Amino acid sequence: MLTKRPLLLLATGLLGGYAAAAQTPDAPPAAKAAAMSEQEVLFWLLLSLLGLLLLVLLLTGIVITRQMKPQLRQLYDLPLVHDTWSGRVLGLLVGDARLVQGDVRDELLDHNYDGIHEFDNDLPPWWKYGFYATIIFAVGYLAYYHVLKTGQLQGAEYAAEMQQAALLIAATPDDPNLLTTYQPLLVPAELSSGKAIFATNCAPCHGASGEGKIGPNLTDEFWLHGGEVNHIYKTIKFGINGKGMVAWKGKLSGKQILQVSSYVLSLQGTKPANAKPPQGEKEAVGKAVAKL
């Protein structure tokens, strides 16, 4: 008894600790069970019952077919049944795979070449029916899209989707397809704010004086995406995909973007040192001029 008692106490302690741990909120199984709603439980229960019912029906069908195989064979051998479509389906139940393999299997032809015999086998009926179905589909496709022109081809469908997308975008306040109607800011305080924003966010790519580095020179009369203040505003706000110009929408407010756009126009004709060669098309635009 002195030997068994410590073992019983140890086992009792382990079981008690395990039960307490199982009741803690951190236990994943309990949390998962609590997270499952009654509808989910009912869904999985019904799905399990349906699967069980289908399994029972399948097993019952197999048992009935095996027991009735002699009677089915007699029915299959009848001349009126043997060569019909339903008879071929019935043949699958009695071991005749003509419906899948075809009527002719491994029939030796009466000629050979260099001792090589040639067999004549039917194409599988399922393959032939599938091929016939593709022919019917091709004729219907040709008539629907190219003869009657009822359906839209890829190009027309893409154009229609793009038009619909443009309408959806136009319904939002931030439509990249529509230009704003702002005027350049001329107040020195506004341009000073634009200069500070430019120095923080734009100078790494366009240079501290707008001379151009990775990005284009902003001090000449050549522009890649338009040099009018609203074009500059659009470029800054929405960016240029694939050109390295990021969209500042969401990072800068509308007023800040207009301040930067106006400051960029104030750089026209400043001719900084080490200016990057012109890029884009020449465009004479008005600039915001103010003494900073």
Side-chain angles (χ1 to χ4, degrees):
M1 291 296 294
L2 293 175
T3 305
K4 293 182 178 179
R5 186 173 181 181
L7 293 176
L8 290 175
L9 292 175
L10 178 61
T12 304
L14 291 176
L15 291 175
Y18 177 76
Q23 295 177 359
T24 57
D26 296 332
K32 185 176 182 180
M36 184 175 294
S37 64
E38 294 181 359
Q39 293 181 348
E40 291 176 340
V41 173
L42 181 60
F43 169 77
W44 288 111
L45 179 61
L46 293 177
L47 188 62
S48 301
L49 292 176
L50 179 60
L52 181 61
L53 178 61
L54 293 176
L55 180 61
V56 171
L57 292 176
L58 178 61
L59 293 176
T60 304
I62 294 175
V63 172
I64 293 175
T65 301
R66 290 179 63 87
Q67 292 179 351
M68 296 184 60
K69 192 171 183 179
Q71 292 82 356
L72 293 175
R73 167 60 70 175
Q74 293 178 0
L75 179 62
Y76 176 67
D77 291 335
L78 294 176
L80 296 177
V81 178
H82 188 271
D83 294 328
T84 62
W85 174 262
S86 58
R88 292 173 183 267
V89 176
L90 182 61
L92 293 176
L93 300 178
V94 297
D96 189 349
R98 287 190 306 153
L99 182 64
V100 178
Q101 297 179 350
D103 294 322
V104 180
R105 296 294 300 174
D106 297 336
E107 179 176 321
L108 186 62
L109 298 179
D110 57 355
H111 59 84
N112 62 79
Y113 300 94
D114 297 331
I116 299 175
H117 297 282
E118 182 179 357
F119 289 93
D120 183 17
N121 296 325
D122 281 343
L123 288 172
W126 62 266
W127 188 93
K128 290 190 291 186
Y129 297 139
F131 179 67
Y132 299 151
T134 59
I135 295 176
I136 296 174
F137 175 81
V139 173
Y141 183 92
L142 179 67
Y144 184 78
Y145 286 100
H146 295 278
V147 178
L148 301 177
K149 296 183 178 180
T150 305
Q152 291 182 334
L153 295 177
Q154 291 181 346
E157 186 176 358
Y158 174 77
E161 290 179 355
M162 292 300 293
Q163 184 178 8
Q164 184 179 7
L167 292 176
L168 293 175
I169 293 176
T172 64
D174 290 330
D175 182 6
N177 297 314
L178 297 178
L179 284 176
T180 53
T181 57
Y182 297 130
Q183 295 294 324
L185 300 176
L186 302 177
V187 179
E190 301 285 5
L191 294 176
S192 296
S193 298
K195 180 179 180 180
I197 298 171
F198 183 91
T200 302
N201 301 289
C202 310
C205 290
H206 293 282
S209 301
E211 69 274 12
K213 290 184 177 179
I214 300 173
N217 181 0
L218 300 177
T219 64
D220 55 28
E221 296 179 339
F222 291 83
W223 298 89
L224 291 170
H225 307 287
E228 196 267 337
V229 66
N230 292 288
H231 286 92
I232 300 174
Y233 183 95
K234 175 183 175 181
T235 302
I236 297 173
K237 183 175 183 179
F238 298 104
I240 304 296
N241 290 331
K243 298 295 184 180
M245 177 62 189
V246 300
W248 291 95
K249 173 186 174 183
K251 303 172 185 177
L252 299 176
S253 66
K255 182 177 181 180
Q256 289 176 319
I257 296 176
L258 183 57
Q259 290 172 340
V260 176
S261 304
S262 301
Y263 173 72
V264 168
L265 284 179
S266 71
L267 297 176
Q268 291 288 287
T270 54
K271 299 180 179 180
N274 300 320
K276 194 174 181 179
Q279 295 174 271
E281 298 181 359
K282 187 175 182 180
E283 182 178 345
V285 296
K287 63 178 181 177
V289 180
K291 294 183 179 179
L292 303 181

